[in-house]
Amino acid sequence: MLPKDPVILLSYVNTKLRDEYASLQELCASLDVSESQICETLSALNYEYNPTRNQFE
């Protein structure tokens, strides 16, 4: 289950991307969550996924 708070979600997702997953797509498939849901939530904080760096920034 993903954190509901956007700031905590940002930290959680970036930590998972750094430590466990090579891409956002891999993370979403493994956790069975919607990539668009994560992107929409974090875009509200003005964060976008950078595939080159494999993190939201």
Side-chain angles (χ1 to χ4, degrees):
M1 175 172 261
L2 293 176
K4 299 290 184 204
D5 182 276
V7 175
I8 295 172
L9 177 64
L10 172 65
S11 177
Y12 176 83
V13 169
N14 273 344
T15 298
K16 289 285 191 183
L17 289 169
R18 181 189 70 222
D19 296 344
E20 299 177 34
Y21 298 99
S23 69
L24 180 60
Q25 294 80 13
E26 186 181 318
L27 177 142
C28 291
S30 176
L31 299 178
D32 194 30
V33 296
S34 166
E35 184 178 338
S36 63
Q37 176 188 8
I38 292 173
C39 290
E40 286 175 21
T41 300
L42 296 181
S43 72
L45 297 174
N46 295 318
Y47 281 86
E48 292 184 15
Y49 179 65
N50 180 334
T52 304
R53 296 188 60 180
N54 193 35
Q55 69 180 18
F56 281 87
E57 45 187 30

